[in-house]
């Protein structure tokens, strides 16, 4: 029997789960079993856990459906546990180095206690000083094992479940489990403290709790706050049934109602049912108030008295001034120009237009990418929704003639933004755009991340300087309701890069649908539009942007490259979209397609892709055509820009580090040989998970039509997909 069983629920923390598991498996004390609790065998967390289970026999994953919540996940893990003591660790928290050795030593010193409480550290997600809220509660406890009567303020309800180690036999004998769906730590902690006979304290930090940027899920608005009263009633009822002495009942009562009043005083947590919440809380207060209880002093004492009296009107008046100020600040629009501000503010006072959707791509650069693909599918599946595309003045010509548009900054632009129910973007809307209650913001992204993105850029000085204010960036993230992803890797990376309360949609990228729906005629049309000569193989060269370079500078002399590989090829040059303006860089066998509206058409036209670190490789892989990585400055790019994985270890095809190596790959046919094909197959398995030709349909049905998740068309398995045909059969040159 292992010394410890460590239960780690993992719902919604796939991007940070590895930190928790690594912190456990790296402990110097190794006598434990690790029980990650995953939603399902195919969930994002299960993918992470599977690798750990293969490498370490102490990892024994179990499954609990998301509908069971945190309580269900912990109870599932507890039922599977066989260790002497049980610890519960959230999936985005960590054990400090040496934690298990310290716990083992302390348990050896105090004997077989029912509960060992310990300190924890709450670490700000971004910056600020860590806090240790458990320290004051444990400071005055006896040095050895003691009965709970000797530390009456140690009620259990003020400490999270992961701030203690529990004797498994005690939990089993007492039939203790996590109650309810929400605020389960309150109920569990209180019940444990009521039934424990011998406890001890460890005045050392054992767990480092990594605060989420979006805060505790329990603090979000919703009806679930009523369950705080359920847990309060459960614990106080058991305390009365047990005949808890008054000196223990008073601190238990105070700590429970401190949480209740905190919720009652925050109207955003209770968008509806505030009066009913207050009335029920008042009834519980009067029913369970200990004899001789004296309210605390100050404003908190006033709240206690109003709650005891059931004076909801007075309680509401007490908070009214702050509520009005908060609402005014939240709705304050800040577009430039007085007239614009006034017009936009007036629009915000009008009802949302339930049948209006606004789209934008690449900060208004044109009709493109995922927003354009969703727009097109919405016109087919949701024709009742009026769709308006936002573009800069110089991009108006890129908009198809039958698509309604608004020029960014115009009156129409602010009018539709003020009233649209749906807002779809692959970047972000202007900072001045207000997230109205009831509106739906969909972030579609515009690539799979190899390079560091969002908040992850902060530790890379060159990139951070160009990014600007991370506070403003994250304020934009707070407007998102949905975030789109095309593979499990993206799901995990976006969770870290853009922390927020939005829901992830693993539906694929709508712009990539065409790679499975296009016909041979579509490929021929694209090649003709781009000027690819008949009988030539077209190599798409698409380098990415360098944050440490000024302007576009190809790391490859394309004229010399064309000369070196022979006359069978032409090169389609597509610079990063930052450089899609200015004079042509083509000539001879080099066709500059940088300014072409559709990157999807360019990819369809190409027989193979040459890129460095551009995310276009992830999209192009859907076509199952050869990809060659030209990595002449990988080490510099990796150190300056930051990357999420080592592309040199997991490339989508052959890798060349010099112009000579690149030319040789095409001269000897290595670009399309068996080795390159095997690398591409592994790459596609990892990064083409959800792109199957139906991504746009899934998005429209879920986001615009409001269909439930279970009715959305499932992703077609990779082996059953048929990519668009290439123009030429690829053989050795």
């Amino acid at each position: 029997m292992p010394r410890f069983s460590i239960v780690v629920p993992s719902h919604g923390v796939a991007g940070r789960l590895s930190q928790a598991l690594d912190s456990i498996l790296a402990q110097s004390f190794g006598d434990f079993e690790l029980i990650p609790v995953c939603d399902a065998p195919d969930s994002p967390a299960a993918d992470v856990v599977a690798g750990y289970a293969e490498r370490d026999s102490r990892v024994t994953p179990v499954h609990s459906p998301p509908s069971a919540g945190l309580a269900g996940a912990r109870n599932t893990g507890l039922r599977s546990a066989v260790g002497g003591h049980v610890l519960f660790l959230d999936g985005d928290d960590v054990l400090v180095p040496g934690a298990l050795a310290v716990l083992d030593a302390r348990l050896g010193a105090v004997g077989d206690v029912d509960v060992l409480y310990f300190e924890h550290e709450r670490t700000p997600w971004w910056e600020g000083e860590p806090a240790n809220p458990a320290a004051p509660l444990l400071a005055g406890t006896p040095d050895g094992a003691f009965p709970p009567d000797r530390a009456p303020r140690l009620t259990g309800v003020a400490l999270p479940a992961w701030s203690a180690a529990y004797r498994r036999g005690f939990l089993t004998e007492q039939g203790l489990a996590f109650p309810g769906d929400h605020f389960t730590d309150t109920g569990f902690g209180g019940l444990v403290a009521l039934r424990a006979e011998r406890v001890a304290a460890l005045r050392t930090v054992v767990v480092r709790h990594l605060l989420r940027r979006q805060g505790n899920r329990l603090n979000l608005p919703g009806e679930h706050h009523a369950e705080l009263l359920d847990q309060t009633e459960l614990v106080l009822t058991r305390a009365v049934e047990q005949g808890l002495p008054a000196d223990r009942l008073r601190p238990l009562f105070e700590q429970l109602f401190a949480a209740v009043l905190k919720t009652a005083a925050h109207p955003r947590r209770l968008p509806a049912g505030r009066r009913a919440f207050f009335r029920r809380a008042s009834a519980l207060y009067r029913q369970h108030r200990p004899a001789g209880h004296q309210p605390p002093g100050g404003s908190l004492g006033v709240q206690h008295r109003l709650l005891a009296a059931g004076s909801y009107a007075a309680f509401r008046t007490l908070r009214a001034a702050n509520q009005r100020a908060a609402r005014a600040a939240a709705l304050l629009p800040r577009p430039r120009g007085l007239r614009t501000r006034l017009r936009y503010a007036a629009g915000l006072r009008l009802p949302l237009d339930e049948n209006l959707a606004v789209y934008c791509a690449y900060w208004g650069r044109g009709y493109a990418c995922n927003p354009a693909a969703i727009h097109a599918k919405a016109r087919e599946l949701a024709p009742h929704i009026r769709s308006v595309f936002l573009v800069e003045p110089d991009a108006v010509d890129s908009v198809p003639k039958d698509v309604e548009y608004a020029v960014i900054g115009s009156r129409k632009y602010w009018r539709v933004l003020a009233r649209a129910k749906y807002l779809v973007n692959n970047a972000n809307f202007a900072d001045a755009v207000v997230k109205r209650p009831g509106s739906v913001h969909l972030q579609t992204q515009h690539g799979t991340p190899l390079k560091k993105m969002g908040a992850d850029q902060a530790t890379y000085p060159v990139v951070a300087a160009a990014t600007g204010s991370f506070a403003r960036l994250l304020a934009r993230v707070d407007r998102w309701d949905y975030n789109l992803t095309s593979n499990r890797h993206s799901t995990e990376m976006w969770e870290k890069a853009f922390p927020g309360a939005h829901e992830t949609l693993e539906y694929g990228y709508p712009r990539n649908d065409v790679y499975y729906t296009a016909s041979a005629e579509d490929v021929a049309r694209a090649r003709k539009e781009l000027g690819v000569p008949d009988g030539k193989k077209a190599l798409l060269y698409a380098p990415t942007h360098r944050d440490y370079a000024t302007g576009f500078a190809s790391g490859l002399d394309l004229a010399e490259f064309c000369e070196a590989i022979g006359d069978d090829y032409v090169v389609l040059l597509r610079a990063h979209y930052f450089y899609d303006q200015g004079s042509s860089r083509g000539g001879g066998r080099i066709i500059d397609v940088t300014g072409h509206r559709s990157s999807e058409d360019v990819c369809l036209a190409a027989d193979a892709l040459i890129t460095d670190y551009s995310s276009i490789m992830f999209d192009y892989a859907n076509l199952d055509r050869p990809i060659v990585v030209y990595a002449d400055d990988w080490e510099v790019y990796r150190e300056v820009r930051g990357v999420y994985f080592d592309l040199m270890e997991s490339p989508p095809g052959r890798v060349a580090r010099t112009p000579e190596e690149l030319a040789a790959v095409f001269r000897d046919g290595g670009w399309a040989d068996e080795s390159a094909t095997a690398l591409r197959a592994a790459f596609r398995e990892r990064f083409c998970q959800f792109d199957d030709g139906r991504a746009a349909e899934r998005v429209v049905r879920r986001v615009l039509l409001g269909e439930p998740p279970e009715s959305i068309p499932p992703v077609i398995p990779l082996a059953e997909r048929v990519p668009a045909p290439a123009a030429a059969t690829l053989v050795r040159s």
Side-chain angles (χ1 to χ4, degrees), residues 215 343 366 648:
R343 281 196 295 267
M648 301 302 102

Side-chain angles (χ1 to χ4, degrees), residues 374-428:
I374 297 170
H375 174 277
K377 183 59 68 172
R379 298 176 75 185
E380 172 189 336
L381 299 179
H384 62 286
I385 294 180
R386 175 191 172 199
S387 299
V388 180
F389 222 93
L390 308 180
V391 292
E392 290 286 358
D394 57 1
V396 169
D397 291 341
S398 74
V399 182
K401 300 301 183 185
D402 59 344
V403 171
E404 183 180 0
Y405 68 89
V407 175
I408 291 177
S410 66
R411 290 188 180 186
K412 181 178 180 180
Y413 166 83
W414 288 110
R415 185 168 65 250
V416 296
L417 280 176
R419 300 201 57 196
K421 166 81 171 183
Y422 307 101
L423 295 97
V424 181
N425 207 325
N426 73 349
N428 269 301

Side-chain angles (χ1 to χ4, degrees), residues 196-217:
E197 296 181 357
R198 294 180 75 247
V199 301
L202 172 61
R203 300 182 195 93
T204 301
V205 171
V206 172
V207 172
R208 184 167 292 122
H209 177 59
L210 306 178
L211 294 171
R212 290 166 165 260
R213 174 182 172 267
Q214 56 270 39
N216 192 319
R217 293 189 184 98

Side-chain angles (χ1 to χ4, degrees), residues 49-70:
V49 168
Y52 286 89
E54 291 176 1
R55 297 189 297 270
D56 198 314
S57 61
R58 295 173 297 179
V59 181
T60 56
V62 296
H63 303 288
S64 176
S67 59
L70 177 62

Side-chain angles (χ1 to χ4, degrees), residues 573-587:
L573 169 61
R574 189 168 182 85
H576 191 275
Y577 61 81
F578 286 175
Y579 313 113
D580 63 359
Q581 306 294 325
S583 59
S584 172
R585 291 168 284 259

Side-chain angles (χ1 to χ4, degrees), residues 517-711:
T517 60
S519 64
E521 290 74 17
D522 295 320
V523 173
R525 173 192 54 76
R527 289 170 70 88
K528 183 177 181 181
E529 287 182 0
L530 297 175
V532 178
D534 292 340
K536 298 289 187 181
K537 295 185 181 68
L539 306 179
L540 172 58
Y541 177 53
T544 192
H545 166 66
R546 286 350 185 236
D547 298 272
Y548 46 87
T550 302
F552 174 76
S554 172
L556 182 66
D557 188 320
L558 292 179
E560 289 186 4
F561 173 68
C562 288
E563 186 67 25
I565 62 176
D567 293 338
D568 290 341
Y569 304 93
V570 295
V571 172
L572 304 176
L573 169 61
R574 189 168 182 85
H576 191 275
Y577 61 81
F578 286 175
Y579 313 113
D580 63 359
Q581 306 294 325
S583 59
S584 172
R585 291 168 284 259
R589 288 161 53 198
I590 304 168
I591 304 172
D592 189 349
V593 296
T594 302
H596 190 78
R597 178 181 61 83
S598 171
S599 62
E600 293 76 48
D601 278 359
V602 172
C603 288
L604 286 173
D607 297 295
L609 170 68
I610 304 170
T611 188
D612 40 25
Y613 326 118
S614 171
S615 64
I616 198 173
M617 71 179 79
F618 302 99
D619 304 310
Y620 191 83
N622 284 285
L623 289 167
D624 199 15
R625 302 177 191 175
I627 302 173
V628 177
V629 175
Y630 178 56
D632 61 332
D633 61 346
W634 169 248
E635 287 73 19
V636 175
Y637 187 87
R638 180 179 59 190
E639 292 301 318
V640 175
R641 188 60 177 84
V643 295
Y644 286 115
F645 68 94
D646 191 341
L647 183 63
M648 301 302 102
E649 293 184 358
S650 306
R654 296 291 294 272
V655 176
R657 304 299 294 263
T658 67
E660 293 75 21
E661 288 181 7
L662 183 63
V665 164
F666 284 90
R667 283 199 305 269
D668 65 17
W671 62 306
D673 64 12
E674 292 183 2
S675 173
T677 301
L679 289 170
R680 185 170 72 253
F683 191 85
R684 296 183 75 235
E685 188 74 26
R686 181 179 180 186
F687 295 112
C688 297
Q689 286 174 287
F690 310 134
D691 290 333
D692 64 351
R694 301 189 70 180
E697 178 185 352
R698 284 190 282 270
V699 171
V700 171
R701 291 191 182 280
R702 177 71 188 283
V703 178
L704 300 185
L705 296 179
E707 296 182 8
E710 58 271 17
S711 72

